[in-house]
Amino acid sequence: MLDADLKVQLKAYLEKITRPVQLSAALDDSGKSQEMQALLDDLVLLSDKITLVEHRGGDVRTPSFAVTRPGEDLGIRFAGIPLGHEFTSLVLALLHVGGHPSKAGAELIEQIGRLEGEHAFETYISLSCQNCPDVVQALNLMAVLNPNIRHVTIDGALFQDEVERREVMSVPTVYRNGEVFGQGRMGVEEILAKLDTGAAAREAARIDARAPFDVLIVGGGPAGAAAAVYAARKGIRTGIAAERFGGQVLDTLGIENFISVPETEGPKMAAQLEQHVRQYEVDIMNLQRAEALLPGPDYTTVKLANGASLKGRTVILSTGARWRQMNVPGEEQYRNKGVAYCPHCDGPLFKGKRVAVIGGGNSGVEAAIDLAGIVRHVTLIEFDAKLRADEVLQRKLHSLGNVTVITSGQTTEVLGDGQRVTGLVYKDRAGGDAHRLELEGVFVQIGLLPNTEWLKGTVALSPRGEIEVDAHGRTSLPGVFAAGDATTTPYKQIVIAMGEGSKAALSAFDHLIRTTAPAETDSIAA
């Protein structure tokens, strides 16, 4: 099942197991059960601390297997074969059940252990989803640390009937005790914030007590991470408040143009960014959304959504961008009910169905090509009179027999039956006629919007809402700098954002040494 090189690497990881691990498999005579059996047999051969027991029938999903300890009933189960993006989830489950400690902080572990009540989680995933592993790994860890928590990871492509019955149309989708708990990427902190109602207030109080920073960075994508590293290396007090560390990189599948790294994946790069920042004395405040920027004579204040405030002698704005929406009737109503923005994540849920891709740039054409291998038919709709994607992508697109390309098409409405998408309406911009398409999914790929609404009336913004910056990353406010996709800097690329973030940090340091004495170095507030 596993190739020789992967077995060698995996064996080295499994040597970290200190306690016996038991794999309890529910199998039948299907081909998928045979694949699962092969995977589990490989695991047993790679570690003398792993054993396998099998059973047929019962009331659990088949094929599936639990990761537990002999004589115990830990709450981790994989309903599906956790390869692809979920292979790391399997390895971590084996390590944590096997006694290897997690990297979670002591306070977080204690908070998980204090949770009361019964929590039965089910997470629907696809093996091509780069957002799903964060959720799976977080809930698996919680199940190891708290006996009241159970978690089943369900491959939606394998349990298609169940996906249809529950009308799951976006991954990851998480159920708790039979009810929808959340959709999209979530880490341990986000999950705990939803379960522990007092956690947000406690965190807000801790943040509010922070002393002013020399450099306060808002946003944790490539620009923010680079700014944090450059600022911290100057020996000045540095803090970074991010709604989600990694930013849009977390939603990027393949990265092949980051110089010196021929190929990587977004979530992996995001983890490396955070790991690099944490090597320095940077106060990272994750899951914090900024709501207002208040200039002052000595400090600039950033007010957060949880009511807390942070102060900085200088501030670097690196809030990035998000997927642009069509803003047509039905889009928001059917979001995650057929309207999707990540073809890699949600594409497998539309196997054998009809879908549309909105947008004829590189991202739209790439999405149509990928989806064509999964779905019955793809209709690509481009607003302009011609596609804007690279010629090599267009040639590949036009070679596919189950793709229709419509240019000069303006989507005007997403249609549905109240539960899910049933079609869309588009207008022929050349002739003015309206047309209706019957389909089950709409993938929107029409570019990005800067996350700057909260800055209107405070710093100068371009007509597109981008923060106006000069060659040094300075904004219209003294002591406030900006970098990355939220700014007027052209070409929204990871490598450019990192360079601009580094430049902004150097400019902020130059501003500090010319205008103020650095804040006294004191311990970072807990």
PDB file of all heavy atoms in Angstrom, residues 166-199:
ATOM      1  N   ARG A 166     -27.329  13.991   4.036  1.00  0.00           N
ATOM      2  CA  ARG A 166     -27.124  15.121   4.949  1.00  0.00           C
ATOM      3  C   ARG A 166     -26.914  16.444   4.204  1.00  0.00           C
ATOM      4  O   ARG A 166     -26.706  17.478   4.828  1.00  0.00           O
ATOM      5  CB  ARG A 166     -25.925  14.846   5.857  1.00  0.00           C
ATOM      6  CG  ARG A 166     -26.251  13.904   7.008  1.00  0.00           C
ATOM      7  CD  ARG A 166     -25.081  13.732   7.948  1.00  0.00           C
ATOM      8  NE  ARG A 166     -25.492  13.734   9.335  1.00  0.00           N
ATOM      9  CZ  ARG A 166     -24.698  13.437  10.356  1.00  0.00           C
ATOM     10  NH1 ARG A 166     -23.426  13.105  10.134  1.00  0.00           N
ATOM     11  NH2 ARG A 166     -25.144  13.479  11.583  1.00  0.00           N
ATOM     12  N   GLU A 167     -26.914  16.351   2.878  1.00  0.00           N
ATOM     13  CA  GLU A 167     -26.767  17.541   2.035  1.00  0.00           C
ATOM     14  C   GLU A 167     -25.480  18.312   2.342  1.00  0.00           C
ATOM     15  O   GLU A 167     -25.463  19.538   2.458  1.00  0.00           O
ATOM     16  CB  GLU A 167     -27.996  18.455   2.162  1.00  0.00           C
ATOM     17  CG  GLU A 167     -29.279  17.779   1.702  1.00  0.00           C
ATOM     18  CD  GLU A 167     -30.480  18.702   1.710  1.00  0.00           C
ATOM     19  OE1 GLU A 167     -30.443  19.713   2.444  1.00  0.00           O
ATOM     20  OE2 GLU A 167     -31.442  18.416   0.987  1.00  0.00           O
ATOM     21  N   VAL A 168     -24.399  17.536   2.473  1.00  0.00           N
ATOM     22  CA  VAL A 168     -23.078  18.132   2.675  1.00  0.00           C
ATOM     23  C   VAL A 168     -22.548  18.558   1.313  1.00  0.00           C
ATOM     24  O   VAL A 168     -22.366  17.732   0.424  1.00  0.00           O
ATOM     25  CB  VAL A 168     -22.108  17.126   3.335  1.00  0.00           C
ATOM     26  CG1 VAL A 168     -20.703  17.723   3.428  1.00  0.00           C
ATOM     27  CG2 VAL A 168     -22.613  16.729   4.708  1.00  0.00           C
ATOM     28  N   MET A 169     -22.300  19.847   1.132  1.00  0.00           N
ATOM     29  CA  MET A 169     -21.858  20.358  -0.162  1.00  0.00           C
ATOM     30  C   MET A 169     -20.598  21.199  -0.055  1.00  0.00           C
ATOM     31  O   MET A 169     -20.231  21.915  -0.978  1.00  0.00           O
ATOM     32  CB  MET A 169     -22.990  21.167  -0.807  1.00  0.00           C
ATOM     33  CG  MET A 169     -24.288  20.384  -0.932  1.00  0.00           C
ATOM     34  SD  MET A 169     -25.525  21.192  -1.944  1.00  0.00           S
ATOM     35  CE  MET A 169     -24.836  20.923  -3.572  1.00  0.00           C
ATOM     36  N   SER A 170     -19.942  21.123   1.097  1.00  0.00           N
ATOM     37  CA  SER A 170     -18.692  21.855   1.291  1.00  0.00           C
ATOM     38  C   SER A 170     -17.891  21.130   2.358  1.00  0.00           C
ATOM     39  O   SER A 170     -18.460  20.624   3.338  1.00  0.00           O
ATOM     40  CB  SER A 170     -18.975  23.295   1.721  1.00  0.00           C
ATOM     41  OG  SER A 170     -17.777  23.980   2.022  1.00  0.00           O
ATOM     42  N   VAL A 171     -16.591  21.057   2.150  1.00  0.00           N
ATOM     43  CA  VAL A 171     -15.723  20.436   3.155  1.00  0.00           C
ATOM     44  C   VAL A 171     -14.663  21.443   3.591  1.00  0.00           C
ATOM     45  O   VAL A 171     -14.276  22.332   2.826  1.00  0.00           O
ATOM     46  CB  VAL A 171     -15.054  19.152   2.607  1.00  0.00           C
ATOM     47  CG1 VAL A 171     -16.067  18.062   2.393  1.00  0.00           C
ATOM     48  CG2 VAL A 171     -14.274  19.429   1.322  1.00  0.00           C
ATOM     49  N   PRO A 172     -14.208  21.314   4.848  1.00  0.00           N
ATOM     50  CA  PRO A 172     -14.740  20.406   5.860  1.00  0.00           C
ATOM     51  C   PRO A 172     -16.069  20.900   6.442  1.00  0.00           C
ATOM     52  O   PRO A 172     -16.239  22.088   6.673  1.00  0.00           O
ATOM     53  CB  PRO A 172     -13.652  20.417   6.944  1.00  0.00           C
ATOM     54  CG  PRO A 172     -13.010  21.774   6.798  1.00  0.00           C
ATOM     55  CD  PRO A 172     -13.061  22.112   5.339  1.00  0.00           C
ATOM     56  N   THR A 173     -16.994  19.971   6.649  1.00  0.00           N
ATOM     57  CA  THR A 173     -18.224  20.249   7.381  1.00  0.00           C
ATOM     58  C   THR A 173     -18.211  19.402   8.646  1.00  0.00           C
ATOM     59  O   THR A 173     -18.003  18.189   8.580  1.00  0.00           O
ATOM     60  CB  THR A 173     -19.474  19.911   6.545  1.00  0.00           C
ATOM     61  OG1 THR A 173     -19.575  20.842   5.469  1.00  0.00           O
ATOM     62  CG2 THR A 173     -20.737  20.013   7.382  1.00  0.00           C
ATOM     63  N   VAL A 174     -18.412  20.046   9.786  1.00  0.00           N
ATOM     64  CA  VAL A 174     -18.313  19.380  11.076  1.00  0.00           C
ATOM     65  C   VAL A 174     -19.689  19.329  11.732  1.00  0.00           C
ATOM     66  O   VAL A 174     -20.385  20.343  11.832  1.00  0.00           O
ATOM     67  CB  VAL A 174     -17.324  20.111  12.014  1.00  0.00           C
ATOM     68  CG1 VAL A 174     -17.212  19.381  13.350  1.00  0.00           C
ATOM     69  CG2 VAL A 174     -15.958  20.237  11.348  1.00  0.00           C
ATOM     70  N   TYR A 175     -20.064  18.130  12.166  1.00  0.00           N
ATOM     71  CA  TYR A 175     -21.274  17.937  12.966  1.00  0.00           C
ATOM     72  C   TYR A 175     -20.868  17.679  14.417  1.00  0.00           C
ATOM     73  O   TYR A 175     -19.843  17.042  14.681  1.00  0.00           O
ATOM     74  CB  TYR A 175     -22.081  16.731  12.464  1.00  0.00           C
ATOM     75  CG  TYR A 175     -22.924  17.002  11.244  1.00  0.00           C
ATOM     76  CD1 TYR A 175     -22.343  17.093   9.987  1.00  0.00           C
ATOM     77  CD2 TYR A 175     -24.306  17.158  11.351  1.00  0.00           C
ATOM     78  CE1 TYR A 175     -23.110  17.338   8.860  1.00  0.00           C
ATOM     79  CE2 TYR A 175     -25.084  17.406  10.227  1.00  0.00           C
ATOM     80  CZ  TYR A 175     -24.479  17.494   8.990  1.00  0.00           C
ATOM     81  OH  TYR A 175     -25.255  17.734   7.882  1.00  0.00           O
ATOM     82  N   ARG A 176     -21.666  18.189  15.338  1.00  0.00           N
ATOM     83  CA  ARG A 176     -21.477  17.895  16.761  1.00  0.00           C
ATOM     84  C   ARG A 176     -22.810  17.418  17.321  1.00  0.00           C
ATOM     85  O   ARG A 176     -23.812  18.112  17.235  1.00  0.00           O
ATOM     86  CB  ARG A 176     -21.010  19.138  17.516  1.00  0.00           C
ATOM     87  CG  ARG A 176     -20.984  18.987  19.033  1.00  0.00           C
ATOM     88  CD  ARG A 176     -20.500  20.263  19.710  1.00  0.00           C
ATOM     89  NE  ARG A 176     -20.733  20.240  21.144  1.00  0.00           N
ATOM     90  CZ  ARG A 176     -21.842  20.678  21.733  1.00  0.00           C
ATOM     91  NH1 ARG A 176     -22.835  21.168  21.001  1.00  0.00           N
ATOM     92  NH2 ARG A 176     -21.976  20.615  23.041  1.00  0.00           N
ATOM     93  N   ASN A 177     -22.795  16.221  17.850  1.00  0.00           N
ATOM     94  CA  ASN A 177     -24.013  15.617  18.413  1.00  0.00           C
ATOM     95  C   ASN A 177     -25.171  15.675  17.420  1.00  0.00           C
ATOM     96  O   ASN A 177     -26.316  15.961  17.761  1.00  0.00           O
ATOM     97  CB  ASN A 177     -24.401  16.313  19.724  1.00  0.00           C
ATOM     98  CG  ASN A 177     -23.329  16.167  20.787  1.00  0.00           C
ATOM     99  OD1 ASN A 177     -22.497  15.270  20.725  1.00  0.00           O
ATOM    100  ND2 ASN A 177     -23.338  17.052  21.773  1.00  0.00           N
ATOM    101  N   GLY A 178     -24.846  15.425  16.145  1.00  0.00           N
ATOM    102  CA  GLY A 178     -25.867  15.332  15.118  1.00  0.00           C
ATOM    103  C   GLY A 178     -26.269  16.632  14.467  1.00  0.00           C
ATOM    104  O   GLY A 178     -27.058  16.624  13.524  1.00  0.00           O
ATOM    105  N   GLU A 179     -25.749  17.763  14.947  1.00  0.00           N
ATOM    106  CA  GLU A 179     -26.099  19.070  14.389  1.00  0.00           C
ATOM    107  C   GLU A 179     -24.866  19.721  13.776  1.00  0.00           C
ATOM    108  O   GLU A 179     -23.741  19.515  14.241  1.00  0.00           O
ATOM    109  CB  GLU A 179     -26.666  19.993  15.482  1.00  0.00           C
ATOM    110  CG  GLU A 179     -27.902  19.459  16.184  1.00  0.00           C
ATOM    111  CD  GLU A 179     -29.113  19.424  15.278  1.00  0.00           C
ATOM    112  OE1 GLU A 179     -29.155  20.245  14.330  1.00  0.00           O
ATOM    113  OE2 GLU A 179     -30.009  18.588  15.497  1.00  0.00           O
ATOM    114  N   VAL A 180     -25.068  20.527  12.709  1.00  0.00           N
ATOM    115  CA  VAL A 180     -23.941  21.208  12.071  1.00  0.00           C
ATOM    116  C   VAL A 180     -23.270  22.134  13.082  1.00  0.00           C
ATOM    117  O   VAL A 180     -23.916  22.972  13.711  1.00  0.00           O
ATOM    118  CB  VAL A 180     -24.402  22.015  10.843  1.00  0.00           C
ATOM    119  CG1 VAL A 180     -23.233  22.821  10.275  1.00  0.00           C
ATOM    120  CG2 VAL A 180     -24.952  21.087   9.764  1.00  0.00           C
ATOM    121  N   PHE A 181     -21.962  21.963  13.233  1.00  0.00           N
ATOM    122  CA  PHE A 181     -21.169  22.746  14.183  1.00  0.00           C
ATOM    123  C   PHE A 181     -20.385  23.845  13.486  1.00  0.00           C
ATOM    124  O   PHE A 181     -20.207  24.939  14.022  1.00  0.00           O
ATOM    125  CB  PHE A 181     -20.211  21.810  14.927  1.00  0.00           C
ATOM    126  CG  PHE A 181     -19.281  22.481  15.899  1.00  0.00           C
ATOM    127  CD1 PHE A 181     -19.729  22.892  17.145  1.00  0.00           C
ATOM    128  CD2 PHE A 181     -17.945  22.704  15.564  1.00  0.00           C
ATOM    129  CE1 PHE A 181     -18.866  23.505  18.046  1.00  0.00           C
ATOM    130  CE2 PHE A 181     -17.076  23.312  16.462  1.00  0.00           C
ATOM    131  CZ  PHE A 181     -17.539  23.716  17.705  1.00  0.00           C
ATOM    132  N   GLY A 182     -19.903  23.562  12.288  1.00  0.00           N
ATOM    133  CA  GLY A 182     -19.121  24.559  11.578  1.00  0.00           C
ATOM    134  C   GLY A 182     -18.671  24.046  10.231  1.00  0.00           C
ATOM    135  O   GLY A 182     -18.704  22.849   9.950  1.00  0.00           O
ATOM    136  N   GLN A 183     -18.253  24.967   9.371  1.00  0.00           N
ATOM    137  CA  GLN A 183     -17.726  24.640   8.050  1.00  0.00           C
ATOM    138  C   GLN A 183     -16.474  25.455   7.814  1.00  0.00           C
ATOM    139  O   GLN A 183     -16.344  26.576   8.293  1.00  0.00           O
ATOM    140  CB  GLN A 183     -18.767  24.943   6.959  1.00  0.00           C
ATOM    141  CG  GLN A 183     -19.994  24.042   7.022  1.00  0.00           C
ATOM    142  CD  GLN A 183     -21.042  24.426   6.003  1.00  0.00           C
ATOM    143  OE1 GLN A 183     -21.420  25.587   5.913  1.00  0.00           O
ATOM    144  NE2 GLN A 183     -21.527  23.463   5.237  1.00  0.00           N
ATOM    145  N   GLY A 184     -15.557  24.876   7.076  1.00  0.00           N
ATOM    146  CA  GLY A 184     -14.313  25.580   6.777  1.00  0.00           C
ATOM    147  C   GLY A 184     -13.219  25.268   7.780  1.00  0.00           C
ATOM    148  O   GLY A 184     -13.417  24.532   8.756  1.00  0.00           O
ATOM    149  N   ARG A 185     -12.069  25.845   7.531  1.00  0.00           N
ATOM    150  CA  ARG A 185     -10.887  25.587   8.351  1.00  0.00           C
ATOM    151  C   ARG A 185     -11.109  26.037   9.794  1.00  0.00           C
ATOM    152  O   ARG A 185     -11.578  27.140  10.052  1.00  0.00           O
ATOM    153  CB  ARG A 185      -9.690  26.334   7.762  1.00  0.00           C
ATOM    154  CG  ARG A 185      -8.384  26.126   8.527  1.00  0.00           C
ATOM    155  CD  ARG A 185      -7.324  27.061   7.971  1.00  0.00           C
ATOM    156  NE  ARG A 185      -7.047  26.754   6.584  1.00  0.00           N
ATOM    157  CZ  ARG A 185      -6.162  25.845   6.188  1.00  0.00           C
ATOM    158  NH1 ARG A 185      -5.485  25.148   7.074  1.00  0.00           N
ATOM    159  NH2 ARG A 185      -5.937  25.641   4.900  1.00  0.00           N
ATOM    160  N   MET A 186     -10.773  25.178  10.734  1.00  0.00           N
ATOM    161  CA  MET A 186     -10.812  25.497  12.163  1.00  0.00           C
ATOM    162  C   MET A 186      -9.647  24.797  12.847  1.00  0.00           C
ATOM    163  O   MET A 186      -9.376  23.633  12.575  1.00  0.00           O
ATOM    164  CB  MET A 186     -12.122  25.023  12.809  1.00  0.00           C
ATOM    165  CG  MET A 186     -13.365  25.794  12.429  1.00  0.00           C
ATOM    166  SD  MET A 186     -14.838  25.210  13.341  1.00  0.00           S
ATOM    167  CE  MET A 186     -15.101  23.624  12.513  1.00  0.00           C
ATOM    168  N   GLY A 187      -9.005  25.501  13.750  1.00  0.00           N
ATOM    169  CA  GLY A 187      -7.986  24.898  14.585  1.00  0.00           C
ATOM    170  C   GLY A 187      -8.526  24.683  15.983  1.00  0.00           C
ATOM    171  O   GLY A 187      -9.694  24.956  16.274  1.00  0.00           O
ATOM    172  N   VAL A 188      -7.673  24.176  16.867  1.00  0.00           N
ATOM    173  CA  VAL A 188      -8.100  23.906  18.241  1.00  0.00           C
ATOM    174  C   VAL A 188      -8.648  25.162  18.904  1.00  0.00           C
ATOM    175  O   VAL A 188      -9.673  25.138  19.589  1.00  0.00           O
ATOM    176  CB  VAL A 188      -6.924  23.336  19.067  1.00  0.00           C
ATOM    177  CG1 VAL A 188      -7.325  23.203  20.537  1.00  0.00           C
ATOM    178  CG2 VAL A 188      -6.500  21.979  18.529  1.00  0.00           C
ATOM    179  N   GLU A 189      -7.980  26.300  18.682  1.00  0.00           N
ATOM    180  CA  GLU A 189      -8.407  27.532  19.353  1.00  0.00           C
ATOM    181  C   GLU A 189      -9.804  27.955  18.918  1.00  0.00           C
ATOM    182  O   GLU A 189     -10.627  28.359  19.737  1.00  0.00           O
ATOM    183  CB  GLU A 189      -7.397  28.649  19.071  1.00  0.00           C
ATOM    184  CG  GLU A 189      -6.032  28.407  19.702  1.00  0.00           C
ATOM    185  CD  GLU A 189      -4.983  29.347  19.158  1.00  0.00           C
ATOM    186  OE1 GLU A 189      -4.879  29.470  17.917  1.00  0.00           O
ATOM    187  OE2 GLU A 189      -4.257  29.957  19.955  1.00  0.00           O
ATOM    188  N   GLU A 190     -10.086  27.851  17.594  1.00  0.00           N
ATOM    189  CA  GLU A 190     -11.421  28.214  17.114  1.00  0.00           C
ATOM    190  C   GLU A 190     -12.492  27.288  17.674  1.00  0.00           C
ATOM    191  O   GLU A 190     -13.579  27.725  18.068  1.00  0.00           O
ATOM    192  CB  GLU A 190     -11.479  28.182  15.585  1.00  0.00           C
ATOM    193  CG  GLU A 190     -10.702  29.291  14.921  1.00  0.00           C
ATOM    194  CD  GLU A 190      -9.486  28.776  14.208  1.00  0.00           C
ATOM    195  OE1 GLU A 190      -8.735  27.973  14.812  1.00  0.00           O
ATOM    196  OE2 GLU A 190      -9.277  29.171  13.061  1.00  0.00           O
ATOM    197  N   ILE A 191     -12.186  25.993  17.704  1.00  0.00           N
ATOM    198  CA  ILE A 191     -13.163  25.029  18.208  1.00  0.00           C
ATOM    199  C   ILE A 191     -13.434  25.270  19.686  1.00  0.00           C
ATOM    200  O   ILE A 191     -14.589  25.265  20.135  1.00  0.00           O
ATOM    201  CB  ILE A 191     -12.652  23.591  17.958  1.00  0.00           C
ATOM    202  CG1 ILE A 191     -12.562  23.321  16.450  1.00  0.00           C
ATOM    203  CG2 ILE A 191     -13.574  22.570  18.623  1.00  0.00           C
ATOM    204  CD1 ILE A 191     -11.821  22.065  16.091  1.00  0.00           C
ATOM    205  N   LEU A 192     -12.378  25.493  20.447  1.00  0.00           N
ATOM    206  CA  LEU A 192     -12.553  25.759  21.870  1.00  0.00           C
ATOM    207  C   LEU A 192     -13.346  27.040  22.111  1.00  0.00           C
ATOM    208  O   LEU A 192     -14.168  27.106  23.030  1.00  0.00           O
ATOM    209  CB  LEU A 192     -11.185  25.860  22.554  1.00  0.00           C
ATOM    210  CG  LEU A 192     -10.481  24.539  22.842  1.00  0.00           C
ATOM    211  CD1 LEU A 192      -9.073  24.797  23.361  1.00  0.00           C
ATOM    212  CD2 LEU A 192     -11.262  23.693  23.838  1.00  0.00           C
ATOM    213  N   ALA A 193     -13.112  28.053  21.267  1.00  0.00           N
ATOM    214  CA  ALA A 193     -13.841  29.308  21.434  1.00  0.00           C
ATOM    215  C   ALA A 193     -15.342  29.101  21.266  1.00  0.00           C
ATOM    216  O   ALA A 193     -16.149  29.778  21.910  1.00  0.00           O
ATOM    217  CB  ALA A 193     -13.331  30.345  20.438  1.00  0.00           C
ATOM    218  N   LYS A 194     -15.730  28.141  20.415  1.00  0.00           N
ATOM    219  CA  LYS A 194     -17.152  27.866  20.208  1.00  0.00           C
ATOM    220  C   LYS A 194     -17.732  27.005  21.332  1.00  0.00           C
ATOM    221  O   LYS A 194     -18.918  27.106  21.647  1.00  0.00           O
ATOM    222  CB  LYS A 194     -17.369  27.170  18.858  1.00  0.00           C
ATOM    223  CG  LYS A 194     -16.969  28.020  17.666  1.00  0.00           C
ATOM    224  CD  LYS A 194     -17.300  27.349  16.354  1.00  0.00           C
ATOM    225  CE  LYS A 194     -18.804  27.369  16.085  1.00  0.00           C
ATOM    226  NZ  LYS A 194     -19.118  26.962  14.691  1.00  0.00           N
ATOM    227  N   LEU A 195     -16.895  26.161  21.919  1.00  0.00           N
ATOM    228  CA  LEU A 195     -17.371  25.261  22.967  1.00  0.00           C
ATOM    229  C   LEU A 195     -17.296  25.896  24.355  1.00  0.00           C
ATOM    230  O   LEU A 195     -18.170  25.681  25.196  1.00  0.00           O
ATOM    231  CB  LEU A 195     -16.547  23.968  22.962  1.00  0.00           C
ATOM    232  CG  LEU A 195     -16.683  23.067  21.739  1.00  0.00           C
ATOM    233  CD1 LEU A 195     -15.700  21.908  21.838  1.00  0.00           C
ATOM    234  CD2 LEU A 195     -18.100  22.539  21.600  1.00  0.00           C
ATOM    235  N   ASP A 196     -16.247  26.657  24.594  1.00  0.00           N
ATOM    236  CA  ASP A 196     -16.007  27.280  25.905  1.00  0.00           C
ATOM    237  C   ASP A 196     -16.410  28.748  25.798  1.00  0.00           C
ATOM    238  O   ASP A 196     -15.643  29.586  25.338  1.00  0.00           O
ATOM    239  CB  ASP A 196     -14.535  27.142  26.278  1.00  0.00           C
ATOM    240  CG  ASP A 196     -14.214  27.674  27.662  1.00  0.00           C
ATOM    241  OD1 ASP A 196     -15.111  28.276  28.293  1.00  0.00           O
ATOM    242  OD2 ASP A 196     -13.064  27.513  28.108  1.00  0.00           O
ATOM    243  N   THR A 197     -17.608  29.080  26.212  1.00  0.00           N
ATOM    244  CA  THR A 197     -18.157  30.423  25.999  1.00  0.00           C
ATOM    245  C   THR A 197     -17.390  31.510  26.748  1.00  0.00           C
ATOM    246  O   THR A 197     -17.449  32.682  26.376  1.00  0.00           O
ATOM    247  CB  THR A 197     -19.634  30.471  26.411  1.00  0.00           C
ATOM    248  OG1 THR A 197     -19.757  30.023  27.773  1.00  0.00           O
ATOM    249  CG2 THR A 197     -20.474  29.578  25.508  1.00  0.00           C
ATOM    250  N   GLY A 198     -16.657  31.150  27.775  1.00  0.00           N
ATOM    251  CA  GLY A 198     -15.910  32.152  28.523  1.00  0.00           C
ATOM    252  C   GLY A 198     -14.512  32.393  27.994  1.00  0.00           C
ATOM    253  O   GLY A 198     -13.824  33.314  28.446  1.00  0.00           O
ATOM    254  N   ALA A 199     -14.092  31.584  27.002  1.00  0.00           N
ATOM    255  CA  ALA A 199     -12.718  31.681  26.517  1.00  0.00           C
ATOM    256  C   ALA A 199     -12.443  33.021  25.851  1.00  0.00           C
ATOM    257  O   ALA A 199     -11.386  33.626  26.046  1.00  0.00           O
ATOM    258  CB  ALA A 199     -12.434  30.541  25.537  1.00  0.00           C
TER     259      ALA A 199
END
